[in-house]
Amino acid sequence: MDIQNAKELAAVVRKLRQDQRMTQAALAQAAGVGREWIIHLEKGRTTLELGMVLRTLRTLGVGLRIEPVSAATTGIDLNRLFEDTDSTPKP
Amino acid sequence: MDIQNAKELAAVVRKLRQDQRMTQAALAQAAGVGREWIIHLEKGRTTLELGMVLRTLRTLGVGLRIEPVSAATTGIDLNRLFEDTDSTPKP
DNA sequence: CTCAAATGTCGCCACTCAGCGACTTTTGTA
DNA sequence: TACAAAAGTCGCTGAGTGGCGACATTTGAG
């Protein structure tokens, strides 16, 4: 399930919520957000706050993963991203 | 690269940008956002707008994927999520 | 060490999100 | 069909974002 924009995210969220037999109100409370915010999320708003989106997704039992749009094209290797240069852990 | 919170996203973004030898200013312009916004992104702000985050990620050549936090625990099968009920394609 | 580029900080301001309550519309179930 | 629950809309308001320019700090060559 690649997420390219807010609308695709919206569809996934709605599906996940319905699969778990939750109302928007229930999800809102569980995720600690307003009822209306869930509506906006499921409508594909682009201005939603990132943190709230992440919290809501986790409430629904899913997370986000970063991956190259096209590995062959970009040549980005996420497996090597944090391999050697990461030398400054948090104090 | 699972993204659980804004800070993890921040680290990935910074790494990707540096890998591509871009300055924050360059990335900001390429993604169509303000310089300062990139700084906030790379510092792990949670209140960033979702759409801007998505645009910036794509500018860096990566996208987001939704996946179960723990497939065994949640029992969510994303492969079946859009299997049969999805009956309204975009016009 | 010195200088320049990159990064980060600071006010300031226009803009609008997010939440709330009440209302309307849709859905679906008996 | 009719009713109840869920979903969506509408003002309204406080709060905070994001953009900008200028300045401070850090980084990295030379």
Side-chain angles (χ1 to χ4, degrees):
Chain A
M1 283 312 311
D2 286 349
I3 302 300
Q4 301 276 358
N5 51 52
K7 279 199 174 174
E8 294 180 10
L9 180 66
V12 174
V13 166
R14 162 159 292 196
K15 208 81 176 61
L16 286 170
R17 176 178 61 80
Q18 291 175 341
D19 274 6
Q20 302 180 29
R21 300 284 196 279
M22 295 178 88
T23 67
Q24 292 175 337
L27 175 57
Q29 188 181 358
V33 302
R35 221 168 54 224
E36 197 164 2
W37 188 88
I38 297 291
I39 295 176
H40 292 318
L41 170 61
E42 294 189 356
K43 285 208 146 195
R45 256 206 196 185
T46 62
T47 54
L48 301 169
E49 289 188 9
L50 173 67
M52 291 174 145
V53 174
L54 290 172
R55 280 218 317 275
T56 304
L57 288 176
R58 295 197 63 188
T59 301
L60 288 169
V62 297
L64 288 179
R65 161 169 297 210
I66 283 198
E67 65 172 17
V69 160
S70 169
T73 303
T74 62
I76 296 172
D77 187 345
L78 285 171
N79 294 325
R80 293 210 166 157
L81 196 58
F82 285 94
E83 192 168 72
D84 42 7
T85 333
D86 175 56
S87 52
T88 313
K90 313 92 196 172
Chain B
M1 284 310 314
D2 286 348
I3 302 298
Q4 301 277 356
N5 51 54
K7 279 200 175 176
E8 294 180 11
L9 179 67
V12 174
V13 166
R14 162 159 294 196
K15 208 80 176 63
L16 286 170
R17 176 177 62 80
Q18 291 176 340
D19 274 7
Q20 301 181 30
R21 301 284 194 279
M22 296 178 88
T23 67
Q24 292 175 338
L27 175 57
Q29 187 181 359
V33 302
R35 270 199 309 273
E36 196 163 0
W37 189 87
I38 297 290
I39 294 176
H40 291 318
L41 170 61
E42 293 189 356
K43 284 208 148 195
R45 259 208 193 182
T46 61
T47 54
L48 301 169
E49 290 189 7
L50 173 65
M52 290 173 146
V53 174
L54 290 172
R55 279 217 318 276
T56 304
L57 287 176
R58 295 198 63 190
T59 301
L60 288 170
V62 297
L64 287 180
R65 163 171 293 210
I66 284 198
E67 66 173 17
V69 161
S70 169
T73 304
T74 62
I76 295 172
D77 187 346
L78 285 172
N79 293 326
R80 292 211 167 155
L81 195 58
F82 285 94
E83 191 168 72
D84 42 7
T85 335
D86 175 57
S87 53
T88 313
K90 312 93 195 171

